[in-house]
Amino acid sequence: MSYVDGFLVPVPKAKIDEYIRISEIAKTVWMEHGALEYVECVGDDVPDGQHTSFPMSVKLEAEETVIFSWIRYSSREERDRILALVMADPRLKDQMSPETMPFDGKRMMFGGFKVVID
């Protein structure tokens, strides 16, 4: 079975184009290092919930939207190998700095998941 890293990111609507530009670079890097799939999705129908919701999970502010994304790998071991290469790749060095990211990284949610149904 494969392995997936999943992400929820609050992005200001005014910075969506910048986020997409950076994500296009990131996708190239991840795929070149061996990721099987790299997907970024901009919230379109993401309602507030009473107890939990995508907006509540990232403490979404009025002029923001939620980005839902995932990266697929063949295994957890491959993910660990690829992630080490990605983090060392100079094409992402400036993009990954908290000062230059077009979102508040402290409110990003992420985790690794074993795929059980595909």
Side-chain angles (χ1 to χ4, degrees):
M1 282 283 161
S2 57
Y3 197 81
V4 171
D5 279 334
F7 307 88
L8 288 177
V9 183
V11 178
K13 292 174 185 172
K15 294 186 176 185
I16 292 291
D17 289 342
E18 182 181 353
Y19 181 90
I20 291 170
R21 180 188 63 77
I22 292 168
S23 294
E24 288 172 343
I25 296 167
K27 178 179 182 171
T28 298
V29 172
W30 252 274
M31 298 299 287
E32 283 180 10
H33 287 302
L36 302 177
E37 184 178 33
Y38 183 106
V39 179
E40 298 273 0
C41 308
V42 177
D44 180 56
D45 182 18
V46 188
D48 288 323
Q50 288 185 342
H51 302 287
T52 63
S53 66
F54 280 107
M56 292 169 73
S57 68
V58 295
K59 298 181 181 177
L60 198 68
E61 296 176 3
E63 295 304 313
E64 294 177 327
T65 190
V66 177
I67 302 288
F68 171 56
S69 57
W70 66 88
I71 305 168
R72 181 187 287 258
Y73 311 90
S74 61
S75 66
R76 166 81 188 264
E77 294 75 25
E78 268 297 280
R79 180 272 225 140
D80 292 347
R81 181 190 70 76
I82 292 165
L83 192 55
L85 294 171
V86 167
M87 291 299 122
D89 194 298
R91 293 173 287 180
L92 291 180
K93 185 174 178 112
D94 293 335
Q95 315 301 332
M96 298 297 214
S97 167
E99 295 81 35
T100 60
M101 288 191 293
F103 62 90
D104 181 358
K106 293 179 290 233
R107 292 186 289 135
M108 176 175 74
M109 296 180 66
F110 59 92
F113 300 85
K114 293 178 187 178
V115 175
V116 294
I117 298 176
D118 189 7

